[in-house]
Amino acid sequence: MNFNNGFSQNPQAFSEPCTNLYCNNPNCECGDQCKCTPNNQCGCNEANPQIFNLTKYVDELPIPPVLKPRWKNQFYTYYEINMTEFKQSLHNELNDTTVWGYEGSYPGPTIEVESGEIVYIKWINNLPDKHLLPVDYTVHGAHMDVPEVRTVVHVHGACVESESDGYPEAWFTKGFKQVGRYFRKQVYRYDNCNQACTLWYHDHTLGITRLNVYAGLAGFYLIRDQRERYLNLPSRKYEIPLIIQDKTFNKDGSLFYPKQPDQPIPELETSVVPQFIGETILVNGKVHPYLKVEPRKYRFRLLNGSNTRFFRMKLDSGQLMYQISTDGGFMQQPIGVTEIMLSPAERADVIIDFTNSEGKNIIMTNDAPTPFPSGVPVDGNTGTVMQFRVALPLSNIDTSVIPAYMVPLQKINEQEASKKRFLSFKKDMDKFGRPYMLLDNKQWDAPITENPKLGSTEIWYLINVSPDSHPIHLHLVDFQIIDRRDIDAEKFNKEGIIQYTGPAVPPAPQERGWKDTVRANPNQVTRIIMKFGPYTGLYVWHCHVLEHEDNEMMRPFIVIQ
């Protein structure tokens, strides 16, 4: 990123040009020692903070508590969940950080339900009237005619009635004093018609999702079923959810979020940025934590909860991780992988076996550039996620297994599809000259064009001719990835014609399961297939890079009778 606006105007520029590709300081005096990164420029002012290195592996990994319901009987379960502002320690070398969270916790507590259990949740906004982070009032849905702080909660991946899905314009303020035009009810109903899977809940308010989630409004929502229990997987204290995010801090420990993009917009005090790249990695709300483990098998539920950053994670021991699930639940068989690739909002469950690693420290690393796949490489901070210390004695014999077979995966037949939709991602400029991405060349408010019939099967061709990968999420449905195929991007941009330049490539083994978020890669057509239901009504599909979602890369769709 180019933070030229903060530089001191030293007339004595360095005699030889700086060799660092990412340095934008015309007066750089670092020579070949320059260590600029896009978010951290030499000579810039405190508005764009210098990175400071926090010691790794000094804080233990927190494990979010499981939330107890207010009421539970044989018919339904009822929760009340408060959103508040509070201070929390994110690293012991930082002052406590002001964050937002559910039930006084960042990340929020884990909600655990049974498949088919009817759950009611009253989400309660008790946040202050002033936002914690810089709001851009030029972004659609965040203009001056709506309250600065408003929320609406989406359970990501849920099979849920439309009125309880967390539609971006169904927002509400403290005490429900003001509500968005699509607000329908204070208490949401979740029928949990999914199989056992790892879902998550997070804010979804039009125009400020990126700020609300970055402030801390996210947590796990786990669905369990009998089949899962029969599999004899690592469980209880040997099953650990990990929400992985990136953040940048000011020196006082407060959250830093940029007020301006690379090229500042002179007429605006605050402007949306095209992406957010944090300078350090947090897991469950701690910077580079460690986890003490026994020499046995553990199940980890991995979630990329970042705004923009992709993660490609490995263990520095070189050992395999056994992936057992995708976004929507168990795969047919586990697969041993050396790396796990997650774009924002994607999940994967893995089993890691520490049996023969007594006394070892194993580091989970990350090497995904940002933006993905051809952006800025990771550095010493962002190339590390967390540490596992195989330091605890074995408390009992490990009888858990990595099952040979889990669930049958019924592939949806392409012949069942009654409709094919060709949906492209197109770059455009707004009135301030800022680039943004559109889905199907339409803004959020354009008339609805995706109107699948209840029970129908459709194939969507996601056409990405931009240089970045976009994680595309559909509400309500799980889908299957059919394939990806390279296309001539120039021809598509000029003539709107899809000319394939390579063979169709099936999804990677790690993606062969039920998905609700898919990586649509640059210069490719990604095909997905899904059956719409079991509910009718208004839902959305969007890019899950939150800066894109907030700036028009989101569209409503309606499931009709």
Side-chain angles (χ1 to χ4, degrees):
M1 291 188 186
N2 179 352
F3 288 137
N4 283 352
N5 57 322
F7 299 130
S8 58
Q9 298 306 309
N10 183 342
Q12 189 171 358
F14 204 77
S15 54
E16 288 185 28
C18 176
T19 56
N20 186 332
L21 179 66
Y22 302 117
C23 180
N24 296 310
N25 182 356
N27 305 312
C28 176
E29 298 180 359
C30 312
D32 60 4
Q33 301 301 303
C34 182
K35 293 191 169 52
C36 285
T37 67
N39 274 6
N40 180 50
Q41 293 284 310
C42 60
C44 61
N45 61 24
E46 191 56 29
N48 305 301
Q50 297 289 309
I51 188 165
F52 47 105
N53 293 313
L54 299 167
T55 310
K56 296 184 177 72
Y57 326 130
V58 293
D59 288 306
E60 194 156 6
L61 175 83
I63 297 169
V66 175
L67 190 64
K68 288 188 164 55
R70 283 292 186 96
W71 175 263
K72 187 179 176 77
N73 62 21
Q74 69 201 78
F75 304 111
Y76 68 88
T77 308
Y78 175 70
Y79 294 88
E80 286 185 359
I81 301 178
N82 273 280
M83 294 167 249
T84 54
E85 179 176 289
F86 49 92
K87 284 189 178 290
Q88 187 170 310
S89 172
L90 306 188
H91 189 279
N92 78 2
E93 294 167 1
L94 285 174
N95 295 332
D96 285 1
T97 304
T98 301
V99 292
W100 289 1
Y102 300 98
E103 288 301 296
S105 159
Y106 156 65
T110 299
I111 300 167
E112 287 197 14
V113 304
E114 279 292 307
S115 179
E117 180 181 359
I118 295 172
V119 172
Y120 291 94
I121 302 181
K122 185 176 187 179
W123 303 98
I124 302 165
N125 180 343
N126 272 318
L127 293 163
D129 297 333
K130 185 92 186 89
H131 211 291
L132 190 58
L133 300 165
V135 175
D136 177 0
Y137 298 107
T138 68
V139 170
H140 190 95
H143 301 322
M144 299 296 263
D145 57 350
V146 295
E148 185 172 303
V149 174
R150 52 202 189 285
T151 57
V152 64
V153 184
H154 169 57
V155 174
H156 181 117
C159 156
V160 61
E161 61 173 17
S162 148
E163 301 83 3
S164 300
D165 183 50
Y167 193 74
E169 291 183 277
W171 52 262
F172 52 93
T173 63
K174 189 186 241 177
F176 301 99
K177 284 196 181 76
Q178 289 175 274
V179 297
R181 61 179 177 153
Y182 285 93
F183 179 87
R184 295 290 177 268
K185 49 166 69 173
Q186 291 188 11
V187 179
Y188 279 13
R189 173 178 169 142
Y190 302 94
D191 283 16
N192 298 303
C193 35
N194 314 57
Q195 60 179 348
C197 57
T198 304
L199 308 183
W200 63 301
Y201 61 96
H202 63 80
D203 189 79
H204 213 297
T205 309
L206 189 67
I208 54 169
T209 297
R210 70 196 184 285
L211 306 177
N212 289 357
V213 173
Y214 185 72
L217 293 176
F220 278 96
Y221 187 104
L222 308 181
I223 299 182
R224 301 199 178 274
D225 64 18
Q226 201 54 46
R227 188 193 291 265
E228 177 187 29
R229 284 186 272 275
Y230 289 147
L231 291 174
N232 191 23
L233 301 166
S235 61
R236 296 186 296 280
K237 65 178 179 179
Y238 306 112
E239 176 193 12
I240 298 172
L242 303 175
I243 177 168
I244 306 164
Q245 297 171 305
D246 59 338
K247 296 192 190 297
T248 298
F249 297 100
N250 296 307
K251 285 199 172 65
D252 65 359
S254 60
L255 290 175
F256 168 79
Y257 188 89
K259 287 186 76 169
Q260 286 279 2
D262 307 358
Q263 308 294 330
I265 315 301
E267 61 264 51
L268 298 178
E269 186 192 341
T270 302
S271 168
V272 68
V273 295
Q275 69 256 335
F276 171 75
I277 306 173
E279 293 285 14
T280 192
I281 307 300
L282 290 81
V283 186
N284 292 356
K286 281 284 185 194
V287 175
H288 297 304
Y290 69 87
L291 174 68
K292 286 184 179 174
V293 296
E294 297 177 22
R296 60 177 294 147
K297 293 184 286 295
Y298 280 73
R299 176 184 182 183
F300 295 100
R301 296 178 181 257
L302 303 174
L303 156 65
N304 180 350
S306 289
N307 283 31
T308 296
R309 186 179 290 279
F310 286 55
F311 287 97
R312 188 165 51 204
M313 292 167 286
K314 300 183 175 85
L315 300 176
D316 73 346
S317 57
Q319 71 193 81
L320 293 177
M321 296 174 275
Y322 295 90
Q323 185 177 340
I324 57 173
S325 83
T326 51
D327 304 332
F330 291 116
M331 303 157 75
Q332 196 157 286
Q333 284 110 2
I335 52 167
V337 294
T338 54
E339 64 179 44
I340 295 281
M341 178 79 219
L342 294 179
S343 65
E346 283 189 298
R347 286 91 64 212
D349 281 20
V350 298
I351 295 174
I352 300 177
D353 192 349
F354 299 107
T355 299
N356 297 315
S357 303
E358 286 107 319
K360 289 186 182 167
N361 292 338
I362 296 169
I363 294 176
M364 181 180 275
T365 63
N366 162 50
D367 70 354
T370 300
F372 191 81
S374 53
V376 182
V378 295
D379 59 26
N381 280 319
T382 55
T384 304
V385 179
M386 64 176 290
Q387 181 192 60
F388 301 101
R389 295 181 185 170
V390 192
L392 297 177
L394 192 63
S395 58
N396 49 41
I397 294 169
D398 180 12
T399 57
S400 68
V401 299
I402 300 169
Y405 180 86
M406 288 172 297
V407 296
L409 180 68
Q410 195 68 49
K411 275 188 82 173
I412 308 175
N413 190 330
E414 285 184 54
Q415 272 60 55
E416 290 175 34
S418 56
K419 192 163 187 70
K420 295 175 181 176
R421 297 185 192 269
F422 294 82
L423 301 159
S424 62
F425 313 161
K426 189 171 187 299
K427 202 171 194 172
D428 204 349
M429 291 277 192
D430 69 9
K431 65 180 181 182
F432 298 104
R434 298 177 295 190
Y436 61 5
M437 297 294 297
L438 296 178
L439 295 171
D440 200 28
N441 207 20
K442 295 179 181 70
Q443 293 184 332
W444 166 253
D445 259 357
I448 295 174
T449 44
E450 284 70 64
N451 52 357
K453 290 191 176 71
L454 178 66
S456 69
T457 299
E458 296 195 354
I459 296 174
W460 287 18
Y461 289 64
L462 304 173
I463 307 160
N464 182 9
V465 287
S466 78
D468 300 334
S469 193
H470 295 274
I472 299 299
H473 171 49
L474 274 72
H475 288 214
L476 176 65
V477 293
D478 283 342
F479 52 76
Q480 291 172 4
I481 303 169
I482 302 172
D483 54 32
R484 295 183 178 92
R485 200 166 177 187
D486 290 344
I487 63 166
D488 183 331
E490 201 178 333
K491 190 174 186 71
F492 185 82
N493 278 327
K494 282 183 181 164
E495 304 169 44
I497 293 168
I498 296 176
Q499 185 171 313
Y500 293 112
T501 57
V505 178
Q510 296 95 306
E511 302 176 301
R512 289 178 197 165
W514 291 104
K515 297 280 292 165
D516 56 49
T517 307
V518 62
R519 221 165 50 247
N521 294 326
N523 306 326
Q524 285 187 340
V525 171
T526 301
R527 293 197 305 154
I528 58 174
I529 186 167
M530 55 265 158
K531 184 174 183 175
F532 285 90
Y535 300 100
T536 57
L538 198 55
Y539 295 91
V540 296
W541 68 286
H542 58 87
C543 175
H544 221 288
V545 168
L546 300 184
E547 283 71 22
H548 295 179
E549 169 185 337
D550 268 349
N551 198 14
E552 300 288 358
M553 201 173 179
M554 177 162 64
R555 290 282 296 146
F557 73 87
I558 187 162
V559 182
I560 58 176
Q561 197 69 46

